[in-house]
Amino acid sequence: MTRAVKRIGFTLRQSNGVIILPEWCREDLVNLHVPSEAELHTADAVQKYPLGAKVIKADSIWRYVRVGETIAVGSAGFLNCNRIRCPGLAGNSVHEGYEGSPNAAVVAGDSTIYITDTAALVHEYEGAHVSVYDYGSSPAYFDSYYVVDNDVSNGTRTTLYLAEGVKNAWAITGVTLDVYLSPYYSVGSLNLSGNQSWKSAIGKIGLAPCTSGYFYWMKTAGLCHGTLSSTECGKTAFYRDVYSNTDGSLIHYTAGYQRVGYLLWGTSAAYGDQTYMLQLEN
């Protein structure tokens, strides 16, 4: 079937904030309502906005995400991560993207492509990015495309609908596709997701518990409060930056760890702080 897609790229300023929709999205998700403070902390059992829709409100930035695991109350203070690994790491047809040859050839201008994902759920590839490598052509090329939506797999292949037509034709052989799922499709808590040392903090959902498969607003920038690790932020002189520990708790400067923000208030050797300026998006 053909998915109804719409070119939006819409930014709307209202008295209570700004909402920014992706350039392309499913037509049934065109929603220009700026959520209230209460709605930013309310779960949606049914999707109301495109994945990655952005709200700027009260000097903070929020992204609309789908949670991919149950997050209990005890994980409320930990930073959130993208649970999905890069394509090919876990294999195909396991809800972590796709790496391999296309399932069918395309001609230049086609906006429908096919991959050999035999288990994809409907909308699983919403907001995904496709990287195309064709080293067999002369000249060889590398292209990148945005996926608006997909049909449920028919057990043999999955149909993806691109925002715009492909620039170059490609065959089945000699071409490799890497399809990265949206980083907002399966968000979890760093202290739950496993392999934490190989994942990045991408924001903070200000609500727990969270139900797997539900949709939430995740803060990516602005005043934030978190769970401290054993190495409290601000208890070492001049260490004002805040980093994510491997479990998503907050830790002071540690080489090789991910910086997530900085402290706003004064501290001492005897007293650290856990309220900070989150800086995972500008």
Side-chain angles (χ1 to χ4, degrees), residues 53 55 72 129 157 168 186 188 206 214 222 232 237 240 247 273 278 280:
V55 163
H129 290 269
R157 68 183 188 181
N168 299 288
S186 184
Y214 279 38
E232 293 184 22
R240 308 307 299 166
D247 64 356
D273 199 10
L278 180 67
L280 291 174

Side-chain angles (χ1 to χ4, degrees), residues 22-84:
E23 182 180 3
W24 292 86
C25 71
R26 288 163 38 198
E27 196 164 19
D28 60 313
L29 295 177
V30 178
N31 185 350
L32 297 177
H33 168 70
V34 176
S36 65
E37 189 69 29
E39 289 169 325
L40 288 172
H41 296 85
T42 301
D44 294 331
V46 177
Q47 187 175 358
K48 294 181 178 179
Y49 298 85
L51 291 178
K54 181 190 292 190
V55 163
I56 303 173
K57 185 183 180 76
D59 292 328
S60 296
I61 302 175
W62 308 73
R63 291 280 191 165
Y64 195 69
V65 304
R66 174 185 175 274
V67 163
E69 66 183 348
T70 299
I71 301 177
V73 172
S75 298
F78 295 85
L79 287 160
N80 297 108
C81 66
N82 172 17
R83 299 177 65 248
I84 304 300

Side-chain angles (χ1 to χ4, degrees), residues 2 4 29 59 69 101 108 128 158 187 207 210 232 239 257 263 274 282:
T2 300
L29 295 177
D59 292 328
E69 66 183 348
S101 301
T158 297
V187 170
L207 177 69
C210 296
E232 293 184 22
Y239 281 32
Y257 282 49
L263 295 172
Q274 60 200 97
N282 294 321

